[in-house]
Amino acid sequence: MIRKKIILLLLIIVSVNLTAQQKFYNILISFDGFRWDYPNRGITPNLDFIKQHGVHASSLKPCFPTKTFPNHYSIVTGLYPQNHGIIANNFFNPVTGKMYRIGDTVAVRDPRNYIGEAIWETAKRQGVITASYFWPGSELTLDYRRPDYYEKYEHNRAYSKRIEGVLDWLKLPYNQRPKLITMYFDATDTYGHQFGTNSPEVTRSIMQLDSLIGKLFNGLKDLNLYDSTNVIIVSDHGMADVDNVRIINVEKILSNTKQRIVDSGPVMYVFPDDNEKSKIYDLLKASEKNYKVYYREEIPEYLNFSKSFIIPPILIVAEPGWSLLTEKDIKRYSKMTTGGNHGYDNNFIDMHGIFFAIGPDFKTGYTCGTIQNIDINPLLAKLLHIIPNQKIDGKFERIEFLLRDF
Ligand code: AMP
Ligand code: ZN
Ligand code: ZN
């Protein structure tokens, strides 16, 4: 009798340990520009389901500048943009001597622009198979820096195709099947820019993206993998309404100076010609209204955006809703009736995104406050049972409480 009891106890210990060791599938989904409060509109049944049965943060704090590429790369590297190199969607890289632009496939695939180590690199080195159905930084020309399976970005690729592609990877023989998969969908960002955050177009895109979650869940159920998959849904930043009234003509302020302006909208970078730096700064300072101007060295600590030589010498940041423009932009804006943008200070709540997660490793029905997107990299390392990259800004301790004990 006692022997039987001991054997039973041993069996229980072994099985508990096996569950504790089990590595599940992990799908990381990004809904571009899905603002922190969009799930409160009552039109997202699938996110509501996750809220009830998984975990949910009241907002996901992005890094500054609150743009697509810097933040997607922060999510996968656990680094602030000043440390991972993708400091903007468009920037001049003194190392390559070239402009980086997200529409330029050569620049986007050039490994020299990416100083961080993405989670798929860390995972791959530790024998974990990874895949990406689109993610900024997933298409580098060096194969050891890419996920094992990846797709080259194609903006108009049907969303249903993306889901089918991911499910196809999960149909591969077990030893070829990825344990980490990323996915990306742009709709809320695209329509948010074009029509503004309260437009019917944005409402429709919120519903459309939410419905994709249901489709993915059904696909996982058909494969019998639903119970062994963690699904994490995030966004890179939020969105704020802009208009053609709250505009700042920077070219006019700097009309008597020699410089090069990069980017426009919520943030603008100025490269002064020789000996023009202080004159440019003084002019911008004298007109400083509805924006802030900084020398790189005086950018406030909380923005974590000064410790890299790639960051331009002068930065201008607009107040929420305001736009820093060149003469050319102003012509374009004059025709605009509605619109949205992002890139502003990451403490501005409407720049925050979403975080929802469900699966065997997550708590159920658990809601927390704001969490930071740089902490997702160490969270993924934990889910993949790998040693995280030690040289990151993210901290597992700040996000650990979302997980069940394992
Ligand atoms: P943003 O200007 O910050 O709103 O950038 C959003 C845009 O980034 C989207 O409309 C996409 O066209 C583009 N984008 C997103 N992911 C990728 C990618 N992996 N490669 C190239 N472009 C991308
Ligand atoms: Zn974005
Ligand atoms: Zn955008």
Side-chain angles (χ1 to χ4, degrees):
M1 189 63 190
I2 289 181
R3 248 176 73 193
K4 255 191 181 166
K5 271 192 178 159
I6 290 172
I7 289 170
L8 193 67
L9 199 69
L10 279 174
L11 275 176
I12 290 172
I13 291 170
V14 168
S15 72
V16 164
N17 253 334
L18 276 181
T19 342
Q21 288 298 315
Q22 201 168 340
K23 197 189 296 175
F24 297 110
Y25 300 93
N26 298 281
I27 304 180
L28 173 68
I29 304 173
S30 165
F31 290 163
D32 199 327
F34 204 106
R35 198 168 69 185
W36 69 281
D37 62 331
Y38 287 172
N40 301 338
R41 294 191 180 183
I43 50 173
T44 49
N46 292 292
L47 289 178
D48 292 346
F49 176 85
I50 300 180
K51 219 174 183 175
Q52 238 182 356
H53 301 281
V55 302
H56 150 250
S58 50
S59 79
L60 181 65
K61 186 179 180 184
C63 299
F64 178 81
T66 49
K67 291 279 190 185
T68 299
F69 266 59
N71 277 289
H72 277 89
Y73 203 47
S74 286
I75 291 169
V76 292
T77 59
L79 291 164
Y80 294 121
Q82 68 178 3
N83 295 327
H84 69 45
I86 306 300
I87 55 155
N89 281 347
N90 307 294
F91 61 93
F92 176 73
N93 190 339
V95 175
T96 59
K98 291 189 187 122
M99 276 300 292
Y100 175 98
R101 286 185 217 283
I102 63 173
D104 174 350
T105 45
V106 174
V108 157
R109 293 175 189 161
D110 186 342
R112 292 175 298 169
N113 288 315
Y114 300 82
I115 305 166
E117 178 181 284
I119 186 71
W120 50 76
E121 296 174 61
T122 321
K124 208 169 172 177
R125 262 196 290 108
Q126 296 179 53
V128 176
I129 300 175
T130 59
S132 166
Y133 211 114
F134 301 156
W135 199 275
S138 65
E139 300 176 33
L140 308 199
T141 52
L142 296 171
D143 60 339
Y144 70 88
R145 299 203 62 191
R146 284 195 308 258
D148 296 276
Y149 311 118
Y150 77 107
E151 287 285 324
K152 290 188 176 156
Y153 187 68
E154 204 184 286
H155 192 74
N156 293 324
R157 179 89 49 95
Y159 289 176
S160 55
K161 267 230 152 83
R162 304 182 196 193
I163 293 184
E164 279 163 30
V166 164
L167 294 171
D168 283 345
W169 283 329
L170 292 171
K171 286 179 198 156
L172 287 169
Y174 183 77
N175 60 359
Q176 294 168 28
R177 231 180 269 164
K179 282 281 157 67
L180 171 70
I181 303 175
T182 72
M183 302 183 79
Y184 168 86
F185 301 95
D186 66 284
T188 32
D189 182 75
T190 301
Y191 292 108
H193 280 298
Q194 213 178 332
F195 301 104
T197 62
N198 291 314
S199 60
E201 288 83 357
V202 164
T203 299
R204 266 202 297 277
S205 62
I206 294 169
M207 294 194 289
Q208 182 195 19
L209 295 189
D210 181 80
S211 75
L212 297 179
I213 304 170
K215 289 201 176 88
L216 179 70
F217 284 176
N218 287 337
L220 291 171
K221 282 174 192 159
D222 290 344
L223 295 177
N224 225 351
L225 292 178
Y226 179 76
D227 292 330
S228 46
T229 305
N230 296 307
V231 177
I232 305 169
I233 297 154
V234 299
S235 52
D236 50 349
H237 51 71
M239 187 71 72
D241 289 321
V242 296
D243 50 48
N244 53 19
V245 179
R246 290 174 294 169
I247 57 172
I248 301 146
N249 186 339
V250 179
E251 254 178 2
K252 198 165 158 200
I253 299 171
L254 298 181
S255 54
N256 292 321
T257 65
K258 290 200 178 76
Q259 46 22 60
R260 195 153 60 92
I261 288 172
V262 174
D263 248 346
S264 61
V267 279
M268 192 178 254
Y269 306 94
V270 186
F271 290 87
D273 276 15
D274 288 346
N275 303 324
E276 293 276 285
K277 193 170 160 184
S278 58
K279 183 177 164 194
I280 287 171
Y281 178 88
D282 292 345
L283 281 169
L284 288 165
K285 200 79 192 164
S287 305
E288 198 176 40
K289 193 168 172 244
N290 305 313
Y291 68 82
K292 296 241 165 52
V293 59
Y294 304 106
Y295 281 131
R296 176 172 66 211
E297 299 73 30
E298 59 174 12
I299 297 172
E301 190 68 33
Y302 76 88
L303 292 176
N304 292 294
F305 197 69
S306 57
K307 293 189 183 68
S308 166
F309 67 96
I310 296 178
I311 296 169
I314 294 176
L315 167 73
I316 321 175
V317 188
E319 292 298 326
W322 286 78
S323 304
L324 299 153
L325 303 178
T326 60
E327 299 283 1
K328 207 168 108 200
D329 299 319
I330 288 173
K331 282 203 188 99
R332 191 164 47 87
Y333 264 64
S334 64
K335 295 187 200 112
M336 180 182 85
T337 47
T338 57
N341 214 346
H342 53 89
Y344 303 105
D345 189 323
N346 56 338
N347 273 336
F348 173 38
I349 188 69
D350 281 350
M351 291 301 100
H352 286 209
I354 54 162
F355 181 97
F356 287 76
I358 189 167
D361 286 327
F362 287 97
K363 287 182 178 163
T364 45
Y366 185 83
T367 297
C368 69
T370 296
I371 57 173
Q372 298 189 51
N373 71 359
I374 49 170
D375 296 337
I376 293 173
N377 167 290
L379 176 79
L380 292 171
K382 182 74 179 177
L383 294 175
L384 295 169
H385 297 255
I386 57 171
I387 301 166
N389 180 356
Q390 301 300 304
K391 293 191 207 112
I392 57 169
D393 299 307
K395 286 193 167 51
F396 179 62
E397 305 83 81
R398 283 194 299 235
I399 199 165
E400 184 179 10
F401 57 85
L402 296 178
L403 298 177
R404 288 180 200 202
D405 294 332
F406 76 94

